[in-house]
Amino acid sequence: MPWILYHHETAMKIINDVAESQLDADLVKIFNTIPKEKLLACAPEVLFA
């Protein structure tokens, strides 16, 4: 199955929209505290080529 790539803002909106229904709301709150730069630094470079 191919990857579906989203811009950071879109991905964060999706994560927040499914908090409680599909994801643990407390973990989503913690995830939201991670700076965008740190999250993007974790992504493989090939995704942005």
Side-chain angles (χ1 to χ4, degrees):
M1 173 183 257
W3 285 78
I4 299 174
L5 302 178
Y6 295 102
H7 290 283
H8 174 78
E9 291 76 17
T10 303
M12 294 304 291
K13 180 177 181 336
I14 292 169
I15 289 169
N16 284 290
D17 286 349
V18 301
E20 294 185 17
S21 64
Q22 295 181 38
L23 297 171
D24 183 281
D26 290 331
L27 291 179
V28 170
K29 286 178 189 174
I30 294 167
F31 191 75
N32 282 326
T33 67
I34 302 171
K36 176 181 177 179
E37 296 75 25
K38 289 199 180 237
L39 291 173
L40 293 177
C42 295
E45 288 184 31
V46 69
L47 295 177
F48 302 106

